[in-house]
Amino acid sequence: MDDERTLTLAEIENARERIRRQLPPTPLRRSFALRPHDVWLKLECWQPTGSFKVRGALHHLVSLAETERRRGVVAASAGNHALGVAWAVQALGGSVPAVLFVPETVPRAKLEKLRSFPVTVRVTGATYDDAYDASLAYAEAAGARYIHPYDDPLTAAGQGTVGLEILEQLPDVGQVVVPVGGGGLMAATAVAVKAKAPGVRIVAVQPAASPSLSESLARGEALHLFPAAPTLADGVAGGIGDLVFRHRALIDEVVNVPESAIEETIVALLAEDQVVAEGAGALAAAALRCGLIAPDGRPVAVVVSGGNIDARHLARLLAARG
Amino acid sequence: MDDERTLTLAEIENARERIRRQLPPTPLRRSFALRPHDVWLKLECWQPTGSFKVRGALHHLVSLAETERRRGVVAASAGNHALGVAWAVQALGGSVPAVLFVPETVPRAKLEKLRSFPVTVRVTGATYDDAYDASLAYAEAAGARYIHPYDDPLTAAGQGTVGLEILEQLPDVGQVVVPVGGGGLMAATAVAVKAKAPGVRIVAVQPAASPSLSESLARGEALHLFPAAPTLADGVAGGIGDLVFRHRALIDEVVNVPESAIEETIVALLAEDQVVAEGAGALAAAALRCGLIAPDGRPVAVVVSGGNIDARHLARLLAARG
C-alpha cells in the first residue's frame, strides 16, 4: 500500500453485500474441545477451498472494472491465497484470465487442486520469494492486476466480513481471537468489530516461532520480513504488512502460542469437534486451550482460519497425541 | 408406525419452515477427492452435533403440543440420535424435560458430550437393545413422548429437508446418493426429491456387512432385525424400518459397499476435502469412489451423513492408508 489510508466499516459492509451470494456465512459453532469455556469456532476452514482467503480474493475480483478484469489477474502463493483466487475466478464463470505463480516446493496435492480450476498455474523458483518476484514481473509485463494476499484494502475488506458475521451470529460476544500472518484478516476484522461493538476485545495470535506482530509493535515499525523458526502454523510464518500495523490501536492484546499447544489443539479440535484445522487455523483456539487468553465471562469467538493440513502430518499428530 | 401412511412433500416442506431458523442449510460442496467426477458433498457432518439427526429431532420436538412437551421426551441411542435430541432440547431453551437412555458401551467422549446438554442421561444395560427396552418402559410409566430415531413420520420429515436443500443448491443434480440405516433419511429424502424432480435418480447405500435393505427387498418384507457383520459404518448396521420399506418404489438402486472402500474414502475425504466423515458418513461417497455407482453425465450429490468418528480410529486409518 502506498498511502496512509485506513479501512472503514463501510468498505467492509460493501464487501459483504458483494460476496454474500457466493459465500454465505460460515458456521459459528460452540466448541466441545474448549468446554467448559464458552468458546465459539468461526469455521473458515469450511469455506469452499478450506480457508478464509476466498473472501478477499472474490471481493478483489468483483471490485475490478470490466477493462481490468479483461487484462487478467496475477497472484503468487504457496497455498491458500492461490486457491482463493482460483476459486474466485471459477465463481465468476472463468471469465477472468488468471496466472498463479507457485514455488517448486508446493505439495503435489495442492498443485493438482489448483490445476482443477480454470487458471494458469506457473511453477517458478525454489521459494515463495522467487515465485513472488516472477509474479510481479509478469503482472507488469502483461498489464495484469496483481492481487496482494493481505496488504491491500480490497483483499482485506473481503476478509473483514468475517467480523461482521461473528457479530450477527453471536451478538453477546466479548472477545474475538484472530490468527495473524500478513495481517489483512486481523486489520479488517478489528475495524468491523470495533466500529459496531467497541466493547468487544480484539486479540491477535501468532505462533511463538514467528512473533512478527509483537516484535513490530516493540520496535515501532512493521517488520515486512521476519526470520521465523519452523512452525506447524507455516501459513502465518513471516512478516506483517503495513495495513495491520496502521490499525494496531484496534488490537487489545497480542499473544504468541507455543508449538506444543498448536499440536495439542489440532488433535482436540479433530477428536472433539470433528474439525480439521491447519496449524494457523488452530492458533486462536490454542491460545485459549493453553491459558494464554482467559475468557472474561462473555462468550469468545475464535477464527479457525483454514483446514488445509497435510494428511500425513495429521496422522503423525494423531498417533503421537491421540 | 402403526399405519400404512406414506410421507408427503407438504410434510417435509412444513418441517423445513419449522427448523430452518435454527438449522440453516448445510453446505453442498464440490468434492476434490471424487474428481474428475462431478460429485457434491452434502455436509451433514457439519451440523452442530456432527450428524443429520438434529433435523428430525428438532422437527419432532417443535411439532409437539405444549402439553406433550411439558410431559417430556425420551430417546434411546448410542450416538447421533441422542445427540440430536439433546441439541434440539437446548435449541428450544432447555424447556422440554428429556431423558436419554444409552448403553454401558457408549464411549466416554460421547457420554461427556451428551452430559454437556440440558438433558438427563441414563446409562442402562449392556447393549442398545437393553437401553431401548428401558426407554420404552420409562416413557410409558412417565407418560413421556418416545422419539423414534427413524421409523416415525415427524422424525423422518425433518431428515427429508436434506433433499429439499440439495435441489435448491444444485438444481441440475442427476443422482442423490443416501446412506441407509433405519431408513428415515432415505425415505423422506426420496419423497422430497421425487416429488419435485422425478427425473433425479435415488440411490441407497449400505455397507456390504449389513445389507438389510437389499435383503428386505429380496424377501418382500422389512427386516427390522438384521445380523450385521462388524463394520466401520456401525451407525447404520442392523435392520430397517417400515417407513423406508413402504417407500421402496422411490429408490432406483441399492448398492452395498465393501469395508475397504469405506476406509479408503474416509482417508480421501480427510486428505483431499478436509472433511471428517464417520463410516456411515463416507458410505455414499465410497459407492462412487469404488465404481459401484457411475455418474450419468449429470452432477451427483452424496449425503455425508455424519462425522463422529473416534480419533484413535481415524489415526489408525491414516497410518495404514495415508
Side-chain angles (χ1 to χ4, degrees):
Chain A
M1 291 182 75
D2 48 13
D3 59 18
E4 287 296 309
R5 187 164 90 64
T6 52
L7 290 168
T8 66
L9 175 62
E11 287 174 282
I12 300 164
E13 286 178 331
N14 279 340
R16 184 152 190 230
E17 285 316 304
R18 282 174 158 168
I19 68 172
R20 74 189 307 169
R21 198 178 58 80
Q22 276 134 322
L23 293 173
T26 51
L28 183 72
R29 232 171 58 169
R30 176 106 193 253
S31 171
F32 289 101
L34 293 162
R35 291 181 189 223
H37 293 322
D38 190 13
V39 178
W40 297 69
L41 308 174
K42 180 60 171 167
L43 293 164
E44 291 298 297
C45 50
W46 291 356
Q47 290 283 13
T49 61
S51 103
F52 73 97
K53 294 281 188 182
V54 288
R55 296 179 185 263
L58 180 61
H59 179 243
H60 201 131
L61 261 62
V62 298
S63 301
L64 297 180
E66 190 49 42
T67 52
E68 290 177 297
R69 283 203 217 181
R70 238 178 285 129
R71 284 199 294 269
V73 299
V74 175
S77 157
N80 287 332
H81 175 56
L83 277 168
V85 173
W87 183 89
V89 166
Q90 182 178 67
L92 297 176
S95 60
V96 183
V99 183
L100 306 178
F101 289 80
V102 301
E104 285 154 11
T105 51
V106 69
R108 201 170 53 88
K110 219 163 236 174
L111 194 60
E112 279 172 21
K113 234 180 211 192
L114 271 179
R115 288 193 163 133
S116 72
F117 290 97
V119 296
T120 303
V121 181
R122 297 243 178 122
V123 182
T124 309
T127 68
Y128 167 73
D129 288 338
D130 296 335
Y132 173 74
D133 291 343
S135 73
L136 284 185
Y138 176 88
E140 180 144 340
R145 174 83 169 209
Y146 174 71
I147 313 274
H148 197 284
Y150 50 86
D151 221 13
D152 175 286
L154 288 176
T155 305
Q159 324 299 31
T161 57
V162 170
L164 297 178
E165 289 177 16
I166 290 172
L167 292 178
E168 279 179 24
Q169 292 169 313
L170 191 66
D172 57 344
V173 64
Q175 285 189 71
V176 175
V177 189
V178 181
V180 177
L185 173 68
M186 175 76 270
T189 300
V191 168
V193 171
K194 288 288 189 187
K196 292 185 80 96
V200 174
R201 279 174 58 79
I202 298 287
V203 182
V205 187
Q206 288 196 313
S210 183
S212 57
L213 178 56
S214 43
E215 278 295 303
S216 295
L217 294 176
R219 297 216 208 157
E221 59 169 331
L223 298 171
H224 298 151
L225 298 171
F226 192 88
T231 169
L232 247 180
D234 55 344
V236 294
I240 63 167
D242 289 321
L243 190 68
V244 68
F245 192 73
R246 199 174 298 140
H247 290 84
R248 62 192 178 279
L250 301 177
I251 302 172
D252 295 292
E253 189 179 354
V254 181
V255 299
N256 298 311
V257 172
E259 288 301 299
S260 61
I262 302 172
E263 292 182 6
E264 201 260 341
T265 302
I266 289 173
V267 173
L269 289 175
L270 186 73
E272 294 171 60
D273 287 305
Q274 286 76 51
V275 164
V276 179
E278 62 188 74
L283 269 182
L288 277 144
R289 227 178 130 85
C290 71
L292 280 170
I293 305 172
D296 60 9
R298 298 179 295 172
V300 180
V302 301
V303 179
V304 184
S305 56
N308 290 320
I309 186 171
D310 185 81
R312 277 162 309 183
H313 220 129
L314 199 53
R316 275 198 299 275
L317 290 178
L318 280 173
R321 297 182 167 261
Chain B
M1 292 181 74
D2 47 15
D3 59 19
E4 287 297 309
R5 187 163 90 64
T6 52
L7 290 168
T8 66
L9 174 61
E11 286 174 283
I12 300 165
E13 286 178 330
N14 278 339
R16 184 155 190 229
E17 285 316 304
R18 282 175 158 167
I19 69 172
R20 75 189 308 167
R21 199 178 59 79
Q22 278 133 323
L23 293 173
T26 51
L28 182 71
R29 231 171 60 168
R30 175 106 192 254
S31 172
F32 289 101
L34 293 162
R35 290 181 190 223
H37 293 322
D38 189 12
V39 178
W40 297 69
L41 308 175
K42 180 61 173 168
L43 293 164
E44 291 298 297
C45 50
W46 290 356
Q47 290 283 11
T49 61
S51 103
F52 73 97
K53 294 282 188 181
V54 287
R55 297 179 184 263
L58 180 60
H59 180 243
H60 201 132
L61 261 62
V62 297
S63 302
L64 298 179
E66 191 48 45
T67 51
E68 289 177 297
R69 283 204 215 180
R70 237 177 287 129
R71 283 200 295 269
V73 300
V74 176
S77 157
N80 287 331
H81 175 56
L83 278 168
V85 173
W87 182 88
V89 165
Q90 184 178 65
L92 296 176
S95 60
V96 182
V99 183
L100 305 178
F101 289 80
V102 301
E104 286 154 10
T105 50
V106 70
R108 199 171 54 89
K110 219 163 236 177
L111 194 60
E112 278 172 22
K113 232 179 212 193
L114 271 178
R115 286 193 165 134
S116 73
F117 290 98
V119 297
T120 303
V121 180
R122 298 244 178 122
V123 181
T124 309
T127 67
Y128 167 73
D129 287 339
D130 296 335
Y132 174 73
D133 290 344
S135 73
L136 284 184
Y138 176 88
E140 179 143 340
R145 174 83 169 210
Y146 175 71
I147 313 274
H148 197 285
Y150 50 87
D151 222 12
D152 175 287
L154 288 175
T155 305
Q159 323 298 34
T161 57
V162 171
L164 297 178
E165 289 177 15
I166 290 172
L167 291 178
E168 279 179 22
Q169 293 169 313
L170 191 66
D172 57 344
V173 64
Q175 285 189 70
V176 175
V177 189
V178 182
V180 177
L185 173 67
M186 175 77 269
T189 300
V191 167
V193 171
K194 288 288 189 186
K196 293 187 81 96
V200 174
R201 279 174 58 79
I202 298 287
V203 182
V205 187
Q206 289 196 311
S210 183
S212 56
L213 178 56
S214 44
E215 277 294 302
S216 294
L217 295 175
R219 296 214 207 157
E221 59 169 331
L223 299 170
H224 297 152
L225 299 172
F226 192 88
T231 170
L232 247 180
D234 55 343
V236 295
I240 63 165
D242 289 321
L243 189 68
V244 68
F245 192 73
R246 199 175 297 140
H247 290 84
R248 62 193 177 279
L250 301 177
I251 302 172
D252 295 291
E253 189 179 354
V254 181
V255 299
N256 299 311
V257 172
E259 287 302 299
S260 60
I262 302 172
E263 291 181 8
E264 199 261 341
T265 302
I266 288 173
V267 172
L269 289 174
L270 187 72
E272 294 172 58
D273 287 305
Q274 287 76 49
V275 164
V276 179
E278 61 188 73
L283 270 182
L288 277 144
R289 225 177 132 86
C290 72
L292 280 170
I293 305 172
D296 60 10
R298 298 178 295 172
V300 180
V302 301
V303 179
V304 184
S305 55
N308 290 320
I309 187 170
D310 185 80
R312 276 162 311 183
H313 219 129
L314 200 54
R316 274 198 300 275
L317 290 178
L318 280 173
R321 295 183 168 262

